[in-house]
Amino acid sequence: EEEERRYACWNVVPGSAKKLQRPDAKSPKAVKPPGGAGGEDDGDDDEFVLYRVVVMRKGADSYRNILRDKRYTVRPFKYDPAGDASEKDKKKSMDQQKANLFKSLVGWRNATFSDVFNAWLHIKAMRLFVEAVLRYGLPIDFQCVLIKPKRGVEKRLRDALSELYSKLSGDSSLADQLDAGETDLSGMGADFYPYVYLPVTLTETA
């Protein structure tokens, strides 16, 4: 009988509200049961906080209205043992399914990574060859080099390479000599260098 007279609800309040405040002194006493001050904090989200508050059933409507006036979100809650067990079983099944799918994905990645990586590097090499021929013409007289600079020295390396191969820039360097009111129609953009440059970005994975 005591449980039937009580009512539990969940209240979502902004994270800036450090504690869910009691209703003011003018509120019906039924909405302020002993031990219910502030409710129970059931979350650690920085943006929102979820509180569980138990009130007397006859004062539940008044309590909800007070919180809604404060722009708090209120949701009713009723414990269902069968539903709770079903949700736990469903969660356990989904966790197992997730683990199995992740294991399959890792296996597929390990089996295909080398082939995909080799194909990617072949595409890079073909693009480098084509762009070098288009820029420097025939007969073919250029060298491809893979450079891995240390962290923090990329700009110094870029400046050194630009100075070393500045004679190869030709008329394309005009893109850097435009006045403020002129438009660059060369198609080179700000990433133009006197040498052909293709980035190879690698990210370490577990």
Side-chain angles (χ1 to χ4, degrees), residues 99-141:
N100 293 337
L101 291 174
F102 182 77
K103 183 178 180 180
S104 299
L105 178 62
V106 171
W108 174 83
R109 181 200 65 178
N110 293 338
T112 60
F113 177 79
S114 60
D115 292 337
V116 173
F117 186 77
N118 287 335
W120 181 56
L121 288 184
H122 273 90
I123 293 175
K124 287 282 187 180
M126 289 188 292
R127 179 181 171 187
L128 184 67
F129 178 85
V130 171
E131 290 197 15
V133 170
L134 292 176
R135 182 180 299 190
Y136 305 124
L138 297 173
I140 297 173
D141 184 17

Side-chain angles (χ1 to χ4, degrees), residues 18-34:
K18 300 301 182 182
K19 183 177 181 181
L20 181 63
Q21 300 297 324
R22 276 174 172 263
D24 55 40
K26 298 180 181 180
S27 304
K29 294 183 179 180
V31 304
K32 298 187 288 186

Side-chain angles (χ1 to χ4, degrees), residues 61-104:
D61 290 339
S62 298
Y63 180 71
R64 285 197 299 265
N65 292 335
I66 291 171
L67 290 182
R68 284 167 180 163
D69 288 342
K70 296 179 179 294
R71 298 183 181 278
Y72 295 161
T73 302
V74 184
R75 292 290 183 267
F77 172 76
K78 182 178 180 180
Y79 179 66
D80 181 5
D84 184 59
S86 176
E87 289 296 327
K88 288 182 179 179
D89 291 341
K90 185 184 297 185
K91 182 179 183 301
K92 183 177 179 180
S93 175
M94 293 181 68
D95 288 341
Q96 184 62 44
Q97 184 180 5
K98 175 184 175 183
N100 293 337
L101 291 174
F102 182 77
K103 183 178 180 180
S104 299

